Amino acid sequence: MSYLSELSQSSEYLSFRSSIPLRKVVVDSDGSKAWSIFDSGPKSVSCPLVCLPPVSGTADIFYKQVMGLASRGVRVIAAEPPPYWNMKEWCDGFKRLIDYLELDRIHILGASLGGFIAQKFAEYTKNCPRVASIILCNSFTDTSVFEYNDSAALFWLLPSLVLKRMLMGNFTADKVDKRIAESIDFMVERLESLTQSELASRLTLNCAPGYVQPQLLKDMPLTIMDVWDESALSSRVREDLHKSYPQAKLAHLKSGGNFPYLSRSDEVNLYLLIHLRQFDGTNLSASYLSLHRMPGSPQAEEGSVSYFNQRDKFVKIT
C-alpha cells in the first residue's frame, strides 16, 4: 500500500523536511545499525528534549514538537532506533548515541513503547544518571498488559505484512474528528515505511516480559500525559501508571486519540514547555531562553487541558 496522507503533504511537514536534515548516526561497533535523528534548536544546549516514538512510529512523527519548541529556543532531538532485540542492547545503543552527540543529560518525551524504554533507560543509567526528567505519553510500566506477551520470541519469524496487521488493529476504526483521523493516516503511512526487522524488534521489546521498577525513579521529575478519549491503552493500564508514580505531575487532554503529539500538538507543546521550565536557569535547561511565562506560548483550546500535581491535587493551568 502506498499513498500520501494529508499531514505528509502539509506545508508545516514539508517545511520541517526541507529545513531540518535527517541524520543517520552509526554508534555500534559492527557498523550495521544507524539511528535516524532530527536535531533542531541551539547546539549549545547540552540537555535537550529527546523524543522516542511508539512501535509504529518514525522520528518524523514528532515534527510538530521539533518545529514548535525549537522556535522557542528549545533543542529537540527526534530519535528513531535501529533494530535492537533486547532492552540492554537498546539502552547500550542509546547511551552511545548520547555520548556521540556530546550530551550531558537529556529530558525524554516517550510515546507508548518510547515511554516504557525511557523508564528502563533511566533505571539502567541510575548509577551514572543520564536522564534529567521524563514525560510519558500514553505509556505503561509492564509489558504483560499486551496480548502477544507469550509469543514475543517468535516475532522475528513473522513476515512484515503480518506484523503490520497486528499493529493496525490498535488504530481505532470509530468515528473521530478530522485531526485525529489525519494523525491515524500519517501513522499508517509511517508504519508502511518500516522494515520487517524494525517492526519485529520493536514488537519484541513491547511484548517480551518486562516491567519498570518505579521505586528506582521516585526522585525523577516526571509528567504523565494521557487522553480521556479512546486510545489503545485501557483505563487500568493508565491507572497503574499513575499509581506507580504518585509524585508525578498529570497532564490530561480531553481528546487526542493514540497520537496527541500529532492531533493536539498545541496542547502537547504547552505541557512540554510547562514541564521543561522547572529547569530554567540550571545546567539542565533544554533552552537558552527562559520558558517561564514566555510570551507567545501556544494557547490550548479553553477547558481542554488540565495540569496538576497528583499528590497535592492543585491545578496549574497556563
Side-chain angles (χ1 to χ4, degrees):
M1 180 168 57
S2 179
Y3 65 92
L4 293 176
S5 65
E6 286 194 36
L7 288 184
S8 68
Q9 299 176 78
S10 67
S11 58
E12 184 181 11
Y13 180 75
L14 295 174
S15 173
F16 162 76
R17 290 309 306 261
S18 63
S19 60
I20 301 171
L22 171 63
R23 294 176 60 191
K24 297 284 189 178
V25 180
V26 176
V27 296
D28 295 286
S29 57
D30 63 5
S32 64
K33 295 179 176 179
W35 286 77
S36 300
I37 65 169
F38 294 97
D39 187 352
S40 181
K43 300 302 182 284
S44 58
V45 172
S46 60
C47 190
L49 174 67
V50 178
C51 304
L52 299 178
V55 172
S56 55
T58 50
D60 56 351
I61 65 170
F62 296 109
Y63 75 93
K64 291 175 179 281
Q65 285 65 56
V66 172
M67 298 290 278
L69 298 183
S71 67
R72 289 169 173 79
V74 179
R75 184 179 180 186
V76 184
I77 299 173
E80 177 188 339
Y84 289 120
W85 295 91
N86 62 66
M87 199 57 67
K88 183 182 185 303
E89 189 182 48
W90 200 105
C91 289
D92 283 338
F94 190 45
K95 185 174 180 293
R96 285 192 289 270
L97 177 69
I98 294 172
D99 291 338
Y100 175 86
L101 296 174
E102 299 181 344
L103 305 177
D104 298 330
R105 304 270 288 276
I106 58 172
H107 307 278
I108 302 179
L109 165 62
S112 192
L113 172 62
F116 178 72
I117 290 174
Q119 296 168 80
K120 294 301 291 180
F121 183 72
E123 272 185 19
Y124 185 72
T125 58
K126 190 177 188 307
N127 292 331
C128 183
R130 305 304 298 270
V131 182
S133 72
I134 298 174
I135 306 100
L136 300 173
C137 179
N138 289 343
S139 196
F140 53 91
T141 57
D142 192 332
T143 62
S144 64
V145 300
F146 296 101
E147 60 181 305
Y148 299 110
N149 201 242
D150 295 333
S151 54
L154 302 176
F155 287 146
W156 67 278
L157 289 169
L158 299 179
S160 181
L161 184 61
V162 173
L163 297 172
K164 288 174 182 176
R165 283 179 176 168
M166 289 166 55
L167 288 167
M168 291 286 283
N170 294 324
F171 294 177
T172 180
D174 298 333
K175 187 175 181 181
V176 293
D177 69 44
K178 184 173 186 292
R179 288 184 295 167
I180 294 177
E182 287 176 347
S183 74
I184 294 172
D185 287 345
F186 186 75
M187 292 298 291
V188 170
E189 185 181 54
R190 300 301 95 189
L191 175 61
E192 289 295 329
S193 71
L194 296 174
T195 65
Q196 191 276 344
S197 60
E198 287 170 335
L199 280 172
S201 61
R202 294 181 190 189
L203 277 166
T204 299
L205 292 176
N206 197 89
C207 298
Y211 59 90
V212 174
Q213 301 178 70
Q215 70 274 13
L216 299 180
L217 306 182
K218 60 180 172 36
D219 299 322
M220 176 75 60
L222 200 140
T223 292
I224 298 173
M225 185 187 306
D226 54 23
V227 296
W228 286 347
D229 62 0
E230 191 67 31
S231 69
L233 295 177
S234 68
S235 58
R236 183 178 70 82
V237 175
R238 292 198 292 267
E239 289 167 6
D240 287 346
L241 183 64
H242 294 172
K243 289 175 183 175
S244 296
Y245 299 108
Q247 81 281 12
K249 300 289 196 304
L250 302 185
H252 288 309
L253 291 85
K254 275 187 176 179
S255 61
N258 288 317
F259 318 114
Y261 35 87
L262 286 166
S263 62
R264 301 291 187 266
S265 60
D266 283 351
E267 292 95 321
V268 169
N269 288 356
L270 175 60
Y271 282 139
L272 294 174
L273 289 171
I274 293 172
H275 175 91
L276 291 171
R277 73 186 185 188
Q278 66 186 294
F279 302 100
D280 270 6
T282 73
N283 61 353
L284 298 179
S285 177
S287 172
Y288 72 97
L289 300 172
S290 172
L291 299 176
H292 189 68
R293 294 184 179 178
M294 180 174 289
S297 290
Q299 293 299 308
E301 177 186 348
E302 185 177 357
S304 67
V305 300
S306 59
Y307 185 81
F308 56 95
N309 183 297
Q310 191 173 194
R311 181 175 285 156
D312 301 325
K313 306 301 184 192
F314 63 87
V315 178
K316 295 173 65 179
I317 299 179
T318 298

